[in-house]
Amino acid sequence: MLPAIEPGDWLVVNPRVASWPRPGTVVVFREPISDALAIKRVSAGPGERVRFADGYLTLAADEAWLVADASEAATGAAGFGAPIDSARFGPVSLDRLVGRVLFRYGPLRRFGRIMSRRGATE
Amino acid sequence: MFPIRIVRQFLAPTTTVRAHCDLPCGVYDPEQARIEAESCYRIVEKYAANEDVAYRTRAIAIKEERAELVKHHLDVLWHDYFKPEHLEKVPNLHDLFWQANKQVSKVKASTDLADARKLLELIDDVDAAWKATGGLEKTRVNGRPS
């Protein structure tokens, strides 16, 4: 999730969420494939249309489309493969949402809010 | 005065979340799928040649297992090796993988040798696509004795 979030950042997450926060928000969720705790940005919320496999996909009332900030080219240049996000595992249902990332409290020099960003990787 | 280490320990998060990417080894070869599919083919042959119920039950179970591996290897090729730019060279790529995976399901449910043979042919088509996109040169480690 560079540059918004770096490995080792300490984050405060609000687990009291009843619906998908608006697109651009960074969230923690349980990954559909592995069930591991993961962090990504909401790219589209319930009912919205997303581009998928040469066409469009309409998200259901409880689904969101979660994407990494980095492009495949950027992660490739860093020696990794494609980011594992909705392009891989598809829409994520609300029951997998764990919380919304509010701010970073460590390291202190990077203390601050995690800003919402719209349309970064579409 | 609290030592900084204790403050740090107190404040440090207890849960880790990941924003991970793939770390692909970059080695892909349809041969992996082909070998498992050949196992299915041979198992069907052996199944037909043996009347023993216990043997036949084992054969079916092992065929299911091998077929699942064929699916796995095909999926890895499809998702990880092939890239959108390869569609120019192999326009029917998605259809090919769809057909091949469908055929695996058929082989799972069938004891007809023709179904297993058809799967081998489809994997050979995948192999041709892999070679047409430079897979042989790009993905295998050189230096094996010939």
Side-chain angles (χ1 to χ4, degrees), chain B residues 12-114:
Chain B
T14 50
T15 308
T16 305
V17 299
R18 299 177 194 284
H20 55 198
C21 309
D22 262 345
L23 178 61
C25 60
V27 177
Y28 304 100
D29 194 330
E31 194 65 19
Q32 272 181 303
R34 166 94 197 188
I35 288 171
E36 302 301 349
E38 284 182 18
S39 283
C40 294
Y41 184 88
R42 285 274 185 259
I43 290 166
V44 173
E45 272 185 342
K46 286 173 186 286
Y47 175 90
N50 200 316
E51 296 285 314
D52 181 57
V53 176
Y55 182 89
R56 285 192 146 195
T57 310
R58 279 194 67 212
I60 299 272
I62 294 168
K63 178 164 66 68
E64 293 267 338
E65 192 184 280
R66 299 289 112 180
E68 199 54 48
L69 286 169
V70 178
K71 256 191 188 167
H72 168 76
H73 291 311
L74 285 175
D75 282 347
V76 169
L77 279 166
W78 193 3
H79 303 152
D80 296 352
Y81 167 70
F82 284 103
K83 300 272 184 299
E85 58 266 29
H86 292 152
L87 279 171
E88 280 172 29
K89 283 211 168 106
V90 191
N92 66 334
L93 187 82
H94 294 321
D95 189 54
L96 177 58
F97 272 100
W98 190 54
Q99 298 291 344
N101 271 320
K102 285 261 175 218
Q103 192 61 29
V104 181
S105 301
K106 207 164 180 183
V107 168
K108 272 189 174 182
S110 143
T111 50
D112 185 345
L113 205 55

Side-chain angles (χ1 to χ4, degrees), chain A residues 52-103:
Chain A
F52 185 67
D54 296 333
Y56 288 91
L57 192 74
T58 304
L59 299 170
D62 67 335
E63 288 176 343
W65 196 255
L66 308 179
V67 297
D69 279 357
S71 66
E72 188 173 343
T75 54
F80 298 98
I84 297 174
D85 58 16
S86 277
R88 171 77 63 95
F89 48 65
V92 179
S93 57
L94 186 61
D95 55 1
R96 299 198 152 267
L97 177 63
V98 171
R100 173 188 173 168
V101 179
L102 298 179
F103 65 92

